[in-house]
Amino acid sequence: MPVNFIFVALGGAAGAMGRYALSLLPARTEFPVLTFITNILGALLIGFIAGLTESRDSVSPRAVLFWKTGVCGGFTTFSTFSLESYTLLQNRKYLLGSGYMLLSVVCCLIGVLCGRRLAMAVR
């Protein structure tokens, strides 16, 4: 449905602006505190949305797209990763959940490494 893309896009823009606004706070330390806070807030928000929509059929699917996929996705994809990991563990899929978490972190770090090397190669 094309209109669903509009809800995701609007939410994504709002999430990205929220992330940028948070990054402007004067809290520069060696530990990436603002990213850490962003990821925790995103996880909190997506958990709230998931919990709210689980028990209510009255929540519009488009509102869920706006908030969960759009806002949370634009704010941080770590929130989605956290919800998926939590859901796997909640469903007692401990091996799958642990594997997903470990593989996600390791593969994303490798992705960053490969991306940086590729960038250096094309400079």
Side-chain angles (χ1 to χ4, degrees), residues 31-74:
F31 182 80
V33 67
L34 295 178
T35 300
F36 184 70
I37 291 169
T38 299
N39 289 335
I40 291 171
L41 288 175
L44 178 68
L45 181 59
I46 203 168
F48 175 78
I49 295 163
L52 189 66
T53 58
E54 274 178 12
S55 60
R56 295 189 180 152
D57 292 333
S58 62
V59 178
S60 161
R62 290 188 175 142
V64 174
L65 281 175
F66 175 85
W67 285 102
K68 200 170 165 184
T69 306
V71 173
C72 290

Side-chain angles (χ1 to χ4, degrees), residues 104-123:
S104 294
V105 171
V106 170
C107 290
C108 288
L109 288 172
I110 291 169
V112 169
L113 173 68
C114 291
R116 289 179 56 89
R117 288 192 175 168
L118 180 62
M120 288 180 200
V122 297
R123 271 203 253 179

Side-chain angles (χ1 to χ4, degrees), residues 73-84:
F75 193 63
T76 171
T77 58
F78 195 78
S79 58
T80 303
F81 165 75
S82 299
L83 177 63
E84 291 168 344

